[in-house]
Amino acid sequence: MKKIIINGGKRLSGKIKIDGSKNAALALIPASLLTKDVVTLENVPDISDIHEMLDILNILNVSYEFIDNKLTIDSSRIINTPLIKKNIEKIRASYYFMGALLSLFQNVQIIAPGGCKIGNRPINYHLNGFRKMGINVNEMDNVFNMSYVILNNTTIKLPFPSVGATINLVLAAVKSDNIIIIDNISCEPEVNQVIDFLKSCGARIKKIGHNTLIIIGTAKLKGTTFKVMNDRIEAGTYCILAALLGDNLLIEGINKDHLNSLFTILDKVNADYFIKDNIAYFNKSNLNNPFEIETSPFPLFPTDLQQPICVLGSFLPGQSIIYENIYEDRIAHIKELNKMGADIKIFQNKIIINGRTPLFSNKLKAKDLRGGAALIIAALSAKGTSLIEGVNYIERGYPNIIQKLSNVGADIKMEDS
Ligand code: UD1
C-alpha cells in the first residue's frame, strides 16, 4: 500500500509547473473516437485516470501511443463491444463513451460510471437528454443498453448546467443528420475545450448567447492536433498551498480567467501574490481575513477547490464559511482535518471553519481526489510528520505531485509497502 510521508512546516520556494487538464483530457479521449483519422492530443497529464481511459481504448480495439504527454489516437479499427468490465466503473469520465459510441454505432452497452464518492451522482440529465433525442435507454443491474434508429431534431433544456451531461449530449449529437439544440449548458472551460476540439475536426457547433448550443450534425469528422489546456484545479490547489507556505514560490502555467473566483478569495484573505502572464508569484503572506464561499458552476467558485481551501480557512482568524452546493457528501476531508486540530463543523451543506487553529501532524486517510489534495496541503502546513493513506485517489489527478513539491523544498516522500 502506498503512503505519503510529509514532514511539514517548511516554507516553499521555486517553481511549480502546471500540467494539462484532467477533466478536459478525459473528455477529449472519447471525443477523439468520432473521427477515423488520427488525432493527436498534446499536454495530456500522465495520471492514473488517463491510463484507465486508455485501458478502455484497448477494449474498443483503438490504437494509441502516449509518450511525453502527447497522446496519438487511431480509431480506424474501432469495434463496438460491451463496456461492462468492473474497472470501467472506477472512473466518472467513462460515461463519455455513451455519447461517443452512440454517435458511431447507434447503440452502446455500458456499465454505470464510478468516480469519487462525494455524493449522490446521478446521470439522469444525460439519460433524459438521450431520450429526448430519440434514443432508447434501458438499465438493468447497473448496465445501460441504449440504441436508436434516427435521432430527432430537438431542443434539450438541462435542469442544471451539468459538465458531464453537456459533453455527453454533444458527443451523441455531433455526427447525426439533425439539428439539436442544448440549452442551459455548462460553461466550464473543459466543456469549451471539447467544443473547440470538435470544431477543429469539422463539427458544426454554434454557441448562442452564454449558454445555448446549436449542433448541426456533420457525418464525417476529420483528424486534428489539439493542445489540452492546463488544469485549473491543479493550478488552484497549488495557489492555495502557495498562499499558505509560499516564499518566492511561482506557479507557472495558470490561466487567470479560469481562476478569478479563487483569486478574489486570495485577495480577500490578504495573500501576497501577483500574476504576470501565466505565472502567479507568491511571497510570504500575512493572512488576516476569513472568507465566505458558495461552490457553483463556472465562473463561480469550483466545488473541486472546496476541499483544498478548507485548509486555508483554518489558518485565518475568525469564521470562514463554505456552502457546498454541488456535492452534498464532499466532506470526507473534514474529519481528517479536525483530527489535526482544525475546528470545522458541518450543518447540512454549510461548512463552518473556525480559525485560527494550528494544525498538528497525524495519520490521515484520503477518501477522494480533492480531499486527498487538501490533506497534503494540511500536512505540509502542520508541524511534525504526517502519514497519508489513500494515495491512489491523489494519483488520479495530480501528476508527479511528490516530485513537484520536493523541487520547491517540501519534505515529502512516497513509500510503497
Ligand atoms: C464534473 C467533473 C468533476 C467536477 C464536476 C463539477 C469530470 C470527469 N468530472 O463531474 O470533477 O467536480 O464536474 O464541476 O469532468 N447532476 C444530476 N444529474 C446528472 C448530472 C449531474 O443531478 O445527470 C448533478 C450532480 O449530482 C451535481 C451537479 O449536477 O450536483 C453537477 O454535476 P456535473 O456538472 O454533471 O458533474 P460531473 O460531470 O459528474
Side-chain angles (χ1 to χ4, degrees):
M1 194 181 44
K2 286 183 182 171
K3 295 180 207 112
I4 294 176
I5 295 159
I6 294 175
N7 188 12
K10 298 191 168 39
R11 287 271 160 191
L12 306 177
S13 315
K15 194 200 291 179
I16 295 178
K17 263 183 98 169
I18 302 307
D19 272 271
S21 161
K22 167 178 95 69
N23 287 347
L26 287 172
L28 290 169
I29 293 172
S32 300
L33 307 184
L34 298 187
T35 168
K36 294 248 152 88
D37 298 343
V38 171
V39 166
T40 302
L41 300 175
E42 295 170 344
N43 200 33
V44 175
D46 196 346
I47 45 177
S48 63
D49 264 17
I50 293 291
H51 290 276
E52 300 285 355
M53 278 313 247
L54 297 180
D55 283 347
I56 301 177
L57 295 191
N58 289 332
I59 301 173
L60 295 170
N61 199 40
V62 172
S63 332
Y64 61 86
E65 191 178 71
F66 185 31
I67 301 174
D68 291 339
N69 303 102
K70 190 195 246 192
L71 176 62
T72 310
I73 298 176
D74 175 357
S75 62
S76 55
R77 284 172 298 138
I78 188 168
I79 52 168
N80 190 16
T81 187
L83 295 178
I84 51 176
K85 275 204 184 159
K86 282 281 171 205
N87 64 334
I88 294 167
E89 276 181 316
K90 271 200 214 155
I91 51 168
R92 186 93 198 131
S94 61
Y95 54 29
Y96 293 133
F97 288 102
M98 293 177 175
L101 296 180
L102 280 167
S103 213
L104 285 172
F105 300 109
Q106 287 72 59
N107 68 80
V108 62
Q109 189 180 32
I110 186 167
I111 199 160
C116 285
K117 302 277 177 282
I118 51 179
N120 185 19
R121 301 179 81 180
I123 56 165
N124 54 325
Y125 305 158
H126 307 229
L127 303 179
N128 291 339
F130 289 148
R131 287 189 181 106
K132 193 101 200 282
M133 286 182 189
I135 298 169
N136 294 311
V137 178
N138 292 301
E139 194 229 324
M140 214 203 303
D141 298 334
N142 222 24
V143 173
F144 292 95
N145 274 293
M146 304 186 206
S147 62
Y148 65 94
V149 182
I150 48 164
L151 292 187
N152 304 325
N153 285 313
T154 190
T155 296
I156 299 161
K157 187 170 168 54
L158 292 173
F160 183 87
S162 151
V163 176
T166 304
I167 294 175
N168 227 348
L169 296 176
V170 170
L171 295 179
V174 76
K175 277 166 73 79
S176 74
D177 295 330
N178 307 73
I179 298 179
I180 292 173
I181 298 170
I182 311 175
D183 204 5
N184 198 28
I185 59 160
S186 155
C187 297
E188 310 285 312
E190 294 77 9
V191 174
N192 293 337
Q193 281 261 287
V194 176
I195 294 169
D196 290 344
F197 165 81
L198 290 169
K199 281 173 147 178
S200 79
C201 296
R204 288 180 295 172
I205 306 176
K206 250 190 139 84
K207 202 163 185 179
I208 307 289
H210 184 54
N211 59 0
T212 303
L213 280 185
I214 300 189
I215 302 158
I216 304 164
T218 315
K220 192 167 170 1
L221 299 182
K222 60 181 187 331
T224 190
T225 295
F226 189 85
K227 186 167 181 206
V228 179
M229 68 182 205
N230 278 355
D231 196 305
R232 64 192 168 105
I233 305 301
E234 189 198 15
T237 303
Y238 286 123
C239 284
I240 292 168
L241 174 67
L244 279 164
L245 293 177
D247 184 0
N248 199 14
L249 180 61
L250 278 58
I251 312 298
E252 185 184 77
I254 61 160
N255 180 340
K256 185 174 178 294
D257 293 342
H258 290 173
L259 282 168
N260 277 324
S261 61
L262 172 65
F263 290 122
T264 304
I265 300 296
L266 294 186
D267 290 339
K268 165 117 182 52
V269 304
N270 201 33
D272 187 350
Y273 75 99
F274 65 95
I275 299 173
K276 192 162 178 285
D277 301 327
N278 71 342
I279 303 181
Y281 299 76
F282 283 83
N283 296 311
K284 232 175 178 170
S285 296
N286 178 19
L287 301 171
N288 62 13
N289 290 311
F291 58 72
E292 187 165 323
I293 291 171
E294 291 209 31
T295 65
S296 299
F298 187 81
L300 301 177
F301 198 88
T303 171
D304 284 359
L305 289 178
Q306 175 262 106
Q307 292 158 294
I309 210 157
C310 272
V311 184
L312 184 69
S314 287
F315 287 89
L316 303 172
Q319 198 168 72
S320 293
I321 292 175
I322 306 176
Y323 294 92
E324 173 50 74
N325 291 331
I326 310 292
Y327 293 114
E328 70 281 4
D329 214 14
R330 197 164 217 174
I331 49 174
H333 57 303
I334 290 174
K335 189 170 149 222
E336 301 301 289
L337 294 179
N338 284 342
K339 258 166 53 182
M340 301 177 81
D343 177 0
I344 308 179
K345 295 188 173 67
I346 312 167
F347 297 100
Q348 290 167 346
N349 74 328
K350 185 176 179 184
I351 301 169
I352 300 171
I353 308 163
N354 292 307
R356 218 169 234 161
T357 52
L359 296 188
F360 301 99
S361 59
N362 210 317
K363 189 173 168 199
L364 308 165
K365 190 160 186 164
K367 299 222 173 97
D368 60 80
L369 166 60
R370 307 298 171 191
L375 298 186
I376 290 192
I377 297 175
L380 289 168
S381 310
K383 284 221 157 58
T385 303
S386 294
L387 188 150
I388 303 176
E389 290 177 353
V391 176
N392 56 314
Y393 291 110
I394 298 164
E395 288 179 325
R396 289 182 48 188
Y398 289 92
N400 234 349
I401 188 164
I402 305 293
Q403 197 59 48
K404 285 189 190 191
L405 290 170
S406 302
N407 288 348
V408 294
D411 185 347
I412 179 169
K413 63 181 176 186
M414 177 117 70
E415 277 183 5
D416 198 353
S417 58

